Amino acid sequence: MAVGKLRSGAALALLFMAVSTSAHHSTAMFDQTRKVMLSGTIREFQWTNPHCWIQIEAAAADGQPAREWSIELGSPNTISRGGWKRTTLVPGQKVNMIVNPMRDGSPGAALVSVTTSEGKVLGPQGRPVPAADAAPRP
């Protein structure tokens, strides 16, 4: 009897973990059919779990005035495999980015690529960035 309860409890725990994990990693809020280029200055690079974040003061290429954007990346573990470090981006640094903007028009996005003034191109998940998705050098 105790073994049956233990198995049921373990199965239920796995089910809840699977549901919460799939809900957490949704990208539905980002318009992945659109790519926007941002040119600006890093305000903060947050090396945190479960996702790293870039805070950037940037103007979009569509002519909107500069404002602060919050850009989501993968986890530190994931992006470090692609060359990212805690010190890759620093406040005051000039960069260009390609992003998938929020569907609701708010100043947030998912990173497609970031290019530093030194010409280093990095992606959001620790994988090489295809040439078509690379932002130009600032």
Side-chain angles (χ1 to χ4, degrees):
M1 184 80 163
V3 174
K5 285 184 180 181
L6 184 60
R7 284 186 184 151
S8 295
L12 191 58
L14 287 173
L15 176 65
F16 283 127
M17 286 173 39
V19 169
S20 66
T21 299
S22 66
H24 170 80
H25 288 96
S26 172
T27 56
M29 69 281 241
F30 304 116
D31 185 350
Q32 295 181 348
T33 66
R34 291 183 50 223
K35 291 182 182 167
V36 174
M37 189 171 100
L38 302 177
S39 296
T41 305
I42 300 297
R43 291 184 39 93
E44 183 180 11
F45 179 42
Q46 300 168 7
W47 188 263
T48 57
N49 277 313
H51 298 278
C52 294
W53 291 87
I54 300 168
Q55 298 301 122
I56 182 171
E57 185 73 26
D62 62 6
Q64 294 290 324
R67 58 188 174 165
E68 186 168 343
W69 288 71
S70 296
I71 311 300
E72 183 176 335
L73 293 82
S75 70
N77 181 39
T78 301
I79 69 173
S80 66
R81 290 183 232 145
W84 288 87
K85 297 178 188 166
R86 181 181 299 271
T87 57
T88 297
L89 300 176
V90 296
Q93 183 178 11
K94 302 284 187 201
V95 297
N96 283 338
M97 296 180 175
I98 302 290
V99 299
N100 296 127
M102 298 284 283
R103 290 184 187 278
D104 68 3
S106 62
L111 183 70
V112 174
S113 74
V114 60
T115 303
T116 67
S117 57
E118 296 80 29
K120 189 170 190 174
V121 179
L122 295 164
Q125 296 293 333
R127 293 186 291 269
V129 175
D133 287 337
R137 188 175 182 162

